[in-house]
Amino acid sequence: MHRTSLYIDGTFTPPESGRHFPAIDPATEDPFAEVAAGQAEDIDRAVRAARRAFDAGGWSGLDGKDRAIVLRRIADGIRTRLHDIALLEVRDNGKPLPEAEWDVGDAAFCFDYYADLAEHRATQPAETVDLGDARFEGKIHREPLGVIGAITPWNFPLLMAVWKVAPALAAGCTIVLKPSELCSLSCEALAQVIDAAGVPPGVFNLVTGTGPEAGQPLADHPLVDKLAFTGSVATGRKVMQAASAGIRAVSLELGGKSPFVVFDDCDIDKAVEWIMFGIFWNKGEVCSATSRVLVQRGLYDRLLDRLRTAAEAIVIGSGETPGVKLGPLVSRGQYDKVRAAIEAGRRSGARLITGGGRPAGLDRGYYLTPTIFADVPTEAAIWREEVFGPVLCINPFDTEQEAIELANDSPYGLAAAVMSDDPDRCDRVAARLRAGVVWINCSQPTFTQLPWGGYKTSGIGRELGQAGYDACCEIKQITRFDHNLHWGWYLDAPK
């Protein structure tokens, strides 16, 4: 059984405690690896290594073109191991293999994208600003922010880590990564690729472990300049509190209960396809999942019938089995949480259209059938709270204004979608949806080139795109006075 290591200061090392905990295959409920249980002393070693590496300037002071060369080596290393890393994610997380391969490919592209951006920024080291006074020259410089502490989730274990690691390295920062204890193996593979690519010691560090034993010490460490967290709202609050204690930068990508507004002029086949993908892709374990669907009344009953048929046809099983579209949930804890949410949905008076239980013939593993509720009370927890599983809630609406009000009636604002054959209507509704990501006539496509983040309790700051790079930079203004001129405030004063 494989035993993972920590990666600190350029060396693979066991945790100082010598402790490990099991990685559980959600398809079988059996352990298949042992994960290093990092603790506060390991976090301290990693942060101090990152601090030394940043302050020494070997990476932070390197020209962006040279950093780009290394980032492209990382991208190539991920592609070389793509299938093997994807299999690790299938066993660790439960997702179907094609989805895992898609995620790992996206992770490689993310390094390529930020390599290009680092190279481009190297040709534009400063922005000159017209100050309206010829005696002064004003420039804006972007400099590496420092040591970043990154805490990442289990639903896209490698990809969510790379969303933080790639821009940080591109900008010249150093980083300590603490992935979720539920899915850590692909992040160890990332450390192996980074080590082979020649990233200097201390620039990238990996400490696996639980939230209380490793995540909290990382959030509290005084030598960390910024905390970057993806996960639940409850944990995000704790990370923000820890950042505020040291007046440190923080970015939070938190939960969602994203709406999908479907008008009755759209193609029903396309609506079924995108609604299904929006909630059942990755087993619904997606922060942006469009789990609240609002359907115009003229299409409502027909669409419910089509969705029931489509959901019941989804192939469920181990992610390693060809043709499977829905794997097991990630863990016993998540399985129990989603089952409890379904039972609460039943009690709320919502109409169960399909699903809600264990699939026939799958007695082991954390499997659930795709679940659809209709006519859901809008005050019910299953309508308002994130479930993070294959559970869809659907309600009707009559007017465009009503749909917008229902869509925005949420404490979250990560994502939203609208579908209509009327382009003007789509643009109108998209402009009024209170979300950081809005899809028109689709749901869930995510591009590295575009910023990602939410409104309201869905988070603070943006990842991906140029915004993700800038989030790893400090902004400095430098104002220069023409030394050939005379200012005269003091020297010209009367004696």
Side-chain angles (χ1 to χ4, degrees):
M1 187 175 293
H2 174 63
R3 273 193 157 199
T4 74
S5 299
L6 310 180
Y7 183 69
I8 298 175
D9 206 13
T11 301
F12 288 95
T13 179
E16 289 199 5
S17 69
R19 291 174 48 218
H20 290 72
F21 56 87
I24 305 296
D25 185 337
T28 64
E29 304 183 43
D30 293 327
F32 70 96
E34 294 184 338
V35 181
Q39 296 181 304
E41 56 267 31
D42 303 298
I43 289 290
D44 184 62
R45 283 194 295 143
V47 172
R48 291 184 184 279
R51 181 82 267 162
R52 287 193 302 271
F54 182 82
D55 292 344
W59 183 257
S60 56
L62 198 63
D63 187 275
K65 294 179 181 178
D66 294 322
R67 289 199 295 267
I69 293 171
V70 180
L71 265 63
R72 291 191 182 104
R73 285 204 295 262
I74 297 171
D76 290 342
I78 292 172
R79 290 191 186 96
T80 298
R81 298 183 56 183
L82 188 150
H83 182 71
D84 291 340
I85 296 174
L87 281 173
L88 284 177
E89 295 225 328
V90 171
R91 296 203 72 188
D92 225 3
N93 171 275
K95 66 180 65 188
L97 179 59
E99 294 183 17
E101 291 178 330
W102 189 354
D103 295 345
V104 178
D106 279 354
F109 176 78
C110 192
F111 275 104
D112 275 336
Y113 172 80
Y114 281 107
D116 291 345
L117 196 53
E119 200 168 56
H120 174 69
R121 290 292 179 87
T123 66
Q124 298 178 329
E127 174 188 350
T128 301
V129 179
D130 184 356
L131 302 175
D133 186 332
R135 298 171 297 172
F136 293 92
E137 176 190 74
K139 290 190 174 182
I140 298 172
H141 291 255
R142 286 177 172 81
E143 300 179 348
L145 192 152
V147 177
I148 294 179
I151 302 173
T152 55
W154 45 259
N155 56 333
F156 296 92
L158 178 69
L159 187 57
M160 295 293 98
V162 167
W163 280 18
K164 292 173 171 51
V165 173
L169 297 186
C173 296
T174 60
I175 190 165
V176 178
L177 171 64
K178 205 299 282 185
S180 168
E181 59 268 31
L182 293 180
C183 294
S184 301
L185 298 185
S186 59
C187 287
E188 186 195 35
L190 175 64
Q192 293 165 354
V193 170
I194 286 174
D195 183 73
V199 174
V203 172
F204 171 83
N205 304 271
L206 171 71
V207 179
T208 55
T210 67
E213 293 185 340
Q216 192 65 52
L218 179 58
D220 290 337
H221 204 291
L223 297 183
V224 171
D225 296 305
K226 177 182 177 177
L227 294 169
F229 171 78
T230 298
S232 70
V233 172
T235 304
R237 287 194 181 98
K238 295 179 182 178
V239 172
M240 192 170 182
Q241 289 168 354
S244 69
I247 318 297
R248 291 172 290 164
V250 62
S251 63
L252 304 173
E253 203 272 89
L254 307 177
K257 191 70 176 178
S258 301
F260 194 159
V261 179
V262 180
F263 288 92
D264 60 10
D265 63 348
C266 70
D267 183 293
I268 192 169
D269 291 329
K270 294 176 182 177
V272 170
E273 175 69 25
W274 283 110
I275 290 169
M276 297 276 287
F277 187 73
I279 184 59
F280 299 132
W281 171 55
N282 205 55
K283 308 163 287 172
E285 295 172 338
V286 181
C287 56
S288 59
T290 39
S291 55
R292 285 188 300 138
V293 174
L294 297 158
V295 182
Q296 199 162 24
R297 203 172 296 275
L299 187 64
Y300 188 64
D301 290 333
R302 284 192 297 137
L303 187 59
L304 284 178
D305 286 342
R306 290 289 301 277
L307 285 171
R308 176 196 292 113
T309 301
E312 291 174 353
I314 290 176
V315 179
I316 307 170
S318 166
E320 297 182 55
T321 303
V324 162
K325 294 291 186 184
L326 194 73
L329 299 186
V330 69
S331 68
R332 167 62 65 180
Q334 188 63 18
Y335 177 80
D336 290 342
K337 176 187 171 185
V338 176
R339 289 295 300 269
I342 291 170
E343 291 309 307
R346 293 177 190 267
R347 294 193 301 270
S348 75
R351 178 160 58 105
L352 182 64
I353 299 296
T354 189
R358 177 178 282 276
L362 292 172
D363 298 327
R364 285 178 60 80
Y366 309 127
Y367 293 102
L368 278 176
T369 50
T371 301
I372 300 175
F373 283 102
D375 305 327
V376 185
T378 55
E379 72 278 5
I382 201 160
W383 180 259
R384 302 194 65 81
E385 297 176 9
E386 186 173 44
V387 175
F388 226 65
V391 180
L392 179 65
C393 294
I394 308 178
N395 271 334
F397 70 89
D398 292 300
T399 67
E400 181 178 312
Q401 178 62 27
E402 180 189 7
I404 292 167
E405 290 175 358
L406 286 167
N408 287 336
D409 182 21
S410 172
Y412 298 106
L414 179 54
V418 56
M419 177 169 278
S420 170
D421 283 350
D422 182 343
D424 292 335
R425 171 186 270 167
C426 285
D427 289 342
R428 272 196 319 271
V429 173
R432 295 187 61 192
L433 290 169
R434 295 284 295 162
V437 178
V438 177
W439 294 292
I440 293 177
N441 291 329
C442 59
S443 177
Q444 304 309 312
T446 302
F447 295 92
T448 303
Q449 302 93 325
L450 295 173
W452 181 271
Y455 292 10
K456 299 186 275 188
T457 59
S458 286
I460 295 173
R462 294 295 182 268
E463 296 184 309
L464 297 185
Q466 294 191 32
Y469 184 99
D470 289 340
C472 298
C473 296
E474 289 281 21
I475 296 177
K476 176 187 287 183
Q477 65 122 315
I478 297 179
T479 303
R480 182 190 303 273
F481 181 71
D482 189 335
H483 71 281
N484 294 313
L485 300 177
H486 180 48
W487 183 237
W489 176 79
Y490 174 72
L491 296 178
D492 289 349
K495 299 295 189 288

